[in-house]
Structure formats: structure tokens, C-alpha cells
Amino acid sequence: MYEPIRTKSVHRMADDDQNAYPHRSREEELDIQLAGHLAALLAVTDELGDAAAGELIARQVARLRGAPPARHAGLSGSNPRSLHQRAHALAGRALVVAASRADTAVAILAAERMDAHTAALTSPELVSAP
């Protein structure tokens, strides 16, 4: 009734391309994402002039990337309020990824940075600044 297929199919299965490009595990992807958030937080922290916190963040970035991070070279000229808001948001993102990755050291560091930036945002000196 039907003639069997005698030629090789021109269609490929989705599984055929598994080795065509490198794959990363979920942990590797989370490491990359976490290192990126921390590097961005480091840049804002350096701009705010908080050297002690910058060193703690740089140590975690180096651990995740396997190399020391590039430090912030220039200043953006942003006002301190917007820098603290940006740093708070970045620390929050880092906290979420660290919790997903079960990285306690980074989660604690991110939570401390969030607290520090919240305190800075509510301080009288910053509130009265233009």
C-alpha cells in the first residue's frame, strides 16, 4: 500500500544540535548573572566612595569570576540620592540571585548593602541635599 522511505530525511530532530554550541549549567548561568549584578553594584559603590564595602564586593566578584574585577574608572556625576537608589536596586537583584543559588555569603553581603543604602536614603543629610 505504501512504499517505504528509502532516502535519508532532510529534516533534523531538535536533539541533533545539542553539541553544536556550548551549554552551561544552571549554576554557571547563575554565577555569571550574580557576578554581573555584583560588578554593577561595585561600580556604584566605588562612585559613592565606600572603599570598605567595595573591597567586600570585589572579593565576591573575584570568587565568582575567578579573576579580580575591573574597578570603576570614571564618575558619572549623578547625585548621591540616585546612586544610593541604584545601589539598593542592584543589591536587591544580587540578593535574589544569591538566594536562588544558595550563596549565603553573597546573600548576607547584599542584604547588608541594601540596609546601608536604605539608611543612607533616609538620613537627614541626604534628604536635605538637592
Side-chain angles (χ1 to χ4, degrees), residues 4 9 22 35 44 48 63 79 93 97 103-105 114-115 118:
S9 174
V44 176
L48 284 168
R63 179 180 61 87
N79 66 2
R93 290 183 192 127
V97 177
D103 190 333
T104 308
M114 286 180 73
D115 290 344
T118 299

Side-chain angles (χ1 to χ4, degrees), residues 22-33 101:
H23 292 278
R24 288 190 279 252
S25 69
R26 181 175 188 274
E27 282 74 28
E28 290 171 326
E29 290 291 340
L30 289 174
D31 283 349
I32 292 167
Q33 188 177 22
R101 193 180 165 275

Side-chain angles (χ1 to χ4, degrees), residues 31-51:
D31 283 349
I32 292 167
Q33 188 177 22
L34 184 56
H37 290 317
L38 288 175
L41 178 60
L42 177 61
V44 176
T45 303
D46 282 348
E47 188 164 356
L48 284 168
D50 192 349

Side-chain angles (χ1 to χ4, degrees), residues 75-87:
L75 300 176
S76 68
S78 297
N79 66 2
R81 180 178 241 357
S82 66
L83 288 173
H84 282 293
Q85 289 171 339
R86 189 177 320 143

Side-chain angles (χ1 to χ4, degrees), residues 10-12 17-18 28 35 39 42 45 67 75 94-96 106 111 119-120 130:
V10 295
H11 302 288
R12 295 188 322 200
D17 281 341
Q18 292 246 344
E28 290 171 326
L42 177 61
T45 303
L75 300 176
L95 178 60
V96 169
V106 175

